[in-house]
Amino acid sequence: MNESRKIWRSVVEGVGAALPERRVTNADLEKMVDTSDDWIVQRTGIRERRLAGPGETTSVLATKAAEKALAAAGRTAADIDLIVLATSTPDFTFPSSATQVQAALGVTRGAAFDLQAVCSGFVYAMTVADKFLASGSHERALVIGAETFSRILDWEDRTTCVLFGDGAGAVVLARAQGQGAISDRGVLTTHLRSDGRHREKLFVDGGPSTTGTVGKLRMSGKEVFRHAVGMVTDVMTDAFAATGTTAEDLDWFVPHQANERIIDASAEKLGIAKSKIVKTVHMHGNTSAASIPLALATACEDGRIKQGDLVMLEAMGGGFTWGSVLIRW
Ligand code: UT7
């Protein structure tokens, strides 16, 4: 291969996850709101979720996930010079939760910041970190998705409170030289989009500059559902076109885990075999920016995702925002 075509790739060195202690089943929710296990399972595939206790903040969960990712990568805090934390539920309005993770881990160099793209947060954060590493400004990143959505749910609104859960996942992403080929290890292509005209379909009704309160999540689920499949399949199609790959080349499809019906319909539309789908929505519910790294950690720990595998990530969420990341593991 021509020397001049060598490029920098961002290679995943390790993955980690952390979940709150408290497990809440659909049967538990039946005691809180007018719902049923049947309805939740049939409409979403969710069977249980974890809910954070008082001490389990977003940065606490993020730190635990990051520690596991560092251990899996065989790295220490001293190796990290960039932390990008995707969250819509930070510990405080400021400083960023990323800087709290930085301090908790003992990382003393480089930069740490939060990134907010709601459920697309992890694909946005991977894309941003990939560009930092490719530019040569930073060497090794922790990319984290961490959320405590239970704190912004209206626990009397059955149309939303049964859908979400809390958790965190992290990956260590390192700069490594590639050949500019799709056989290279690392992030191969990323595609991000947003369209702010969809605000009213999924939003939080409070914030520092408007109400001065944190607010609660509001969603027109049907409206979000109507757009989801088209949006995520568009950005996956972009990823295939940019790399000359097809659905058949994929080893694993690791989508945002909001609803099993959206996941299955997206896979079917693109001809991705059912056996290649990594699903964790039944265990975690929708954990927003944490859902993809939680699913990645599950599939790495159980031995499904292995080095050299071609892995497609995708998500869509509030904004709307949506995006895809294609990675050679
Ligand atoms: O993370 C990215 C953003 N989020 C998403 O991707 C979520 C996208 N949307 C969805 O996943 C689905 O639209 C939902 C799971 C939220 C809802 O499923 P649906 O099939 O679109 O149901 P629906 O909203 O049309 O509601 C159907 C019925 C309604 O009753 P009526 O009006 O038909 O009598 C609701 O009131 O189900 C009722 N319902 C419930 N029943 C029992 C709504 N929530 C519940 C509930 N338990 N928790």
Side-chain angles (χ1 to χ4, degrees):
M1 172 105 10
N2 185 337
E3 205 54 20
S4 66
R5 290 205 57 217
K6 281 189 174 171
I7 61 165
W8 292 104
R9 298 287 194 194
S10 306
V11 172
V12 177
E13 293 187 325
V15 188
L19 290 163
E21 288 290 318
R22 186 174 164 216
R23 190 187 296 267
V24 176
T25 65
N26 293 346
D28 295 328
L29 292 180
E30 285 176 0
K31 296 173 202 139
M32 296 162 65
V33 285
D34 180 17
T35 191
S36 67
D37 177 52
D38 249 19
W39 190 93
I40 301 172
V41 172
Q42 279 175 23
R43 303 283 174 142
T44 71
I46 301 166
R47 292 181 182 274
E48 60 179 50
R49 74 286 293 143
R50 300 295 188 93
L51 300 185
E56 291 175 313
T57 66
T58 291
S59 75
V60 165
L61 294 169
T63 302
K64 285 186 183 162
E67 284 168 345
K68 289 190 183 152
L70 284 171
R75 301 289 177 187
T76 68
D79 298 315
I80 298 298
D81 60 2
L82 178 67
I83 300 175
V84 187
L85 195 165
T87 188
S88 303
T89 46
D91 291 18
F92 296 101
T93 302
F94 76 78
S96 68
S97 295
T99 54
Q100 300 312 289
V101 172
Q102 186 187 28
L105 292 174
V107 175
T108 52
R109 65 195 181 100
F113 58 89
D114 287 0
L115 183 157
Q116 206 266 64
V118 203
C119 296
S120 310
F122 191 73
V123 295
Y124 267 66
M126 286 289 281
T127 301
V128 168
D130 176 49
K131 292 185 191 300
F132 269 65
L133 298 183
S135 78
S137 64
H138 294 74
E139 282 292 322
R140 188 170 282 101
L142 269 166
V143 183
I144 308 170
E147 302 278 15
T148 46
F149 258 51
S150 62
R151 312 275 209 247
I152 55 164
L153 294 176
D154 175 350
W155 285 98
E156 291 179 356
D157 176 10
R158 68 172 183 173
T159 69
T160 53
C161 75
V162 304
L163 304 174
F164 295 90
D166 302 330
V171 304
V172 175
L173 210 55
R175 187 166 186 258
Q177 200 156 48
Q179 302 295 323
I182 64 152
S183 55
D184 286 352
R185 281 191 72 200
V187 173
L188 299 177
T189 191
T190 63
H191 299 268
L192 298 184
R193 295 208 212 154
S194 62
D195 185 344
R197 291 173 297 179
H198 296 285
R199 175 193 181 277
E200 296 297 326
K201 300 179 181 84
L202 179 49
F203 65 101
V204 168
D205 63 5
S209 180
T210 48
T211 58
T213 62
V214 171
K216 298 289 181 207
L217 181 149
R218 308 290 170 203
M219 178 166 75
S220 312
K222 231 183 189 29
E223 283 295 303
V224 178
F225 197 119
R226 216 162 55 79
H227 288 84
V229 176
M231 286 177 160
V232 299
T233 51
D234 268 3
V235 283
M236 286 196 279
T237 302
D238 288 347
F240 288 135
T243 52
T245 55
T246 69
E248 291 202 346
D249 297 318
L250 290 183
D251 294 292
W252 299 106
F253 172 44
V254 188
H256 170 48
Q257 311 279 324
N259 185 319
E260 191 166 28
R261 290 186 292 149
I262 295 174
I263 295 172
D264 289 343
S266 307
E268 195 180 332
K269 189 169 169 190
L270 292 186
I272 300 170
K274 280 193 172 135
S275 58
K276 295 180 178 177
I277 308 174
V278 175
K279 279 188 207 170
T280 47
V281 65
H282 57 290
M283 301 189 289
H284 304 149
N286 181 349
T287 57
S288 189
S291 89
I292 291 174
L294 277 171
L296 285 173
T298 303
C300 287
E301 277 163 26
D302 67 21
R304 273 180 287 174
I305 298 180
K306 293 179 293 298
Q307 191 170 315
D309 283 353
L310 190 63
V311 182
M312 175 73 85
L313 317 181
E314 58 81 347
M316 76 82 69
F320 288 150
T321 54
W322 64 109
S324 66
V325 177
L326 186 66
I327 308 175
R328 175 80 58 195
W329 212 255

